[in-house]
Every structure is written in structure tokens, then in C-alpha cells.
Amino acid sequence: MSEDDDALMVRAAWFYYVGGLNQEMTAARLGLTRARVNKMLAEARESGLVSISIDHQRVGVLPLEDKLRVRFGLDFCISTPAFGFHDTSKEDSEVRKQIAFRAVGVAAANHLKTLLSENDSLTVGTGWGRTIEQMTLHLAGVRAPHARFISVMGSLTANNAYNPFEVVHSLARRTGGEGYFLPVPFIADSIDDKKVLISQRSVVKALEIARSASVCFISAGELTEDSLLRRQGMISSAELESLRQAGAVGDTNGIFFDSEGRQVDHELNERTIALGFEELKALPVLLLIAGGEKVQAARALLRSGVINGLIIDGDAAEALAAIGE
């Protein structure tokens, strides 16, 4: 983007967000098409020029947050407002998911921004997934050159924005901090391969940084054919079925757990390269949950003793609260 384009984006953002003009009025003021203004406003958010903040304490969800906090023994719980979606089609379901991802991502970004403003020397551990990706996209307006960001798991083969490597890179770029990642695959081909990989000096160093994290942001996935693990081809249908037979109901960072939040006895858990539950229990861990389909996995992981804080969308929070103990 040229300097002229950059200046034009600033003016568009100013008219729209500060001046209160709608997109059509902003376009007319700048002599542009509405489509171009829409694109500029999106780029303004993506680049960090515009930061959107939500004061969750003003949206009437405090009783629900407190209920979940007490029930699962958390230090805190942040819930976004419920949208009250009732899916009627696959298209509606996808829209609901995207809104949930974005809502939790914004709330998580605001929380991370607060943490970094209080201590810009934090070491922040991160997982992967679409909710984590949204957190990185909405983190803006904070400089933390002394902060360190480290993935607490290996990387995917696909180059997606929610890949641990991309998550760390984005957080470091947006804050001016340093980024580190585990230079190994998410799941090793064999247990012997894992032993070789984690013995490498670069991996040993990265794991040391991960184990010293001041806070970790992770998410959870459901074990279905529609899960991100299956859609990315990280596990096969046969492996999915064998995990279910072993009692698994969800995963976090490739660690598969049962309904009580215990790591299941399965070969995949032996091949995953990530901080395990016992290592995570030594750290402050924040769980990000977006979407009602993840409620069962969230409930199980919250029982594990790993999680200290929860950031969740309102509809999923209501569904989680409604499930019996």
C-alpha cells in the first residue's frame, strides 16, 4: 500500500469510526466507491490501525460468568453477549461459527492487550485454531518489544493463519515482540521419531521457553468429522473412531482427553509434540471456546485441572451452564 493509499485509509477510518458517517457517506466524502471504502475499513482493522474494544461488564453477562467461574474453580470467566442463534441451515451454522470465533477473538485480544500493558515482558504461550487466529487479528494498539510469544505445540503442514507458526509470527509482528515456535511437526510419524525430534537442541530450547510461559492461550476441539483436525487431514477417520473408542471427547493442542479431562491411553497422545497436561498445570492457562459444538469438549477440559481462566461466546456459555454437573 502506497503512502497515498495509507493516508486515504486513515481518513476513511476517521470518518467512519470517529465521525460516525456510514459507509455510503464516507465514500461520498472521499469520492470513492462504497466497495472500496468497505475494503479500506477491513484493512484498517487487519493492520491494527483500528482497534475494537468491548466492555463485557456492561452487557449483562456477569451472573453467567460467575456461575461458570465458581462451578469450574476458575480465576475468572469472560463471556461475550449471547446472540440467540437458532440454526436452520448449514449456511446459518457457518455464519454463527464465524461470529462466535470473532467475538471470542476480540475478547481474548482485549484481555491479552491488558496483560501486555501491565507487563510488556510477558512470555505468552499459544495453541492453534480459528479462535486463536481471531485473537491475533484483533490485537492492536499495544507495543511490547520485550514480550516473547511461543507455540506450546508443533506446527501443521498446511500454511494456514491458525497454524502455530503463523499465530506466533502475527503476535510478534503486531506487538514488536519476539516469536519462537517448535520447529517440529504437530504429530510425529512414530514414537521413536518423536524421541529424536524432541532431543534436538532447538526443540529443547523452545520447550524450555514454553514451560516458562507467564500465560498460555489454548482452545479445544470436538472429535467429529467436521472438526478442524479432520478437515486438515491431521488424523484419519479410522484414528478418529479409535480415539472415540478409547473414550476421547475432545482435544487441545493435539492432546486427546476423555469426559473427565484425563488424557486417554492412545498412541496418538504418545506421538503428539506439545506441552502435556502436567506441564500445563504448572502454568496459567486460558481456554478460548467459540461455538456450541465445542461445549462437551470444553466441559471435559474444564474438569482437567489445567484451566485457570475461560473466554467463551455467550451462546456456548449458556449451553455449558445448562449441562448438568
Side-chain angles (χ1 to χ4, degrees), residues 260-278:
E260 297 299 320
R262 299 170 299 209
Q263 291 184 227
V264 298
D265 183 13
H266 192 279
E267 189 218 6
L268 276 176
N269 270 345
E270 298 298 320
R271 293 196 279 125
T272 297
I273 302 178
L275 293 189
F277 277 15
E278 291 307 313

Side-chain angles (χ1 to χ4, degrees), residues 24 46 61 88 94 163:
E24 185 174 354
E46 292 284 334
V61 295
T88 58
E94 287 303 313
N163 190 325

Side-chain angles (χ1 to χ4, degrees), residues 1-22:
M1 181 178 290
S2 68
E3 289 186 12
D4 288 343
D5 287 339
D6 191 57
L8 199 56
M9 182 175 68
V10 171
R11 293 181 67 195
W14 180 268
F15 284 139
Y16 185 77
Y17 289 106
V18 181
L21 304 185
N22 60 29

Side-chain angles (χ1 to χ4, degrees), residues 128 152-158 163-164 182-195 197-198 223 228-230 232-236 239-240 243 251-256 266-275:
W128 74 301
V152 298
M153 57 180 285
S155 292
L156 285 67
T157 54
N163 190 325
L182 287 174
V184 289
F186 180 35
I187 299 176
D189 290 339
S190 69
I191 295 175
D192 287 339
D193 284 347
K194 175 182 175 178
K195 291 177 180 178
L197 289 168
I198 63 175
L223 284 184
L228 203 54
L229 280 177
R230 280 293 299 124
Q232 289 296 312
M234 302 306 299
I235 62 173
S236 67
E239 288 171 329
L240 174 65
L243 281 164
D251 88 285
T252 182
N253 300 345
I255 302 171
F256 301 93
H266 192 279
E267 189 218 6
L268 276 176
N269 270 345
E270 298 298 320
R271 293 196 279 125
T272 297
I273 302 178
L275 293 189

Side-chain angles (χ1 to χ4, degrees), residues 55-126:
D55 186 350
H56 74 282
Q57 294 185 350
R58 298 179 183 270
V59 293
V61 295
L62 288 178
L64 179 58
E65 292 174 337
D66 196 54
K67 180 177 181 179
L68 294 176
R69 180 187 63 79
V70 172
R71 177 177 172 184
F72 294 107
L74 305 171
D75 295 333
F76 73 91
C77 173
I78 296 173
S79 171
T80 71
F83 291 96
F85 286 118
H86 300 287
D87 297 337
T88 58
S89 67
K90 183 177 181 180
E91 290 75 15
D92 289 342
S93 176
E94 287 303 313
V95 170
R96 173 187 58 77
K97 289 179 182 179
Q98 292 304 317
I99 292 175
F101 290 142
R102 191 174 300 114
V104 175
V106 169
N110 288 337
H111 185 73
L112 177 55
K113 181 178 178 179
T114 298
L115 294 178
L116 290 171
S117 67
E118 294 172 349
N119 179 7
D120 74 347
S121 297
L122 286 180
T123 296
V124 180
T126 67

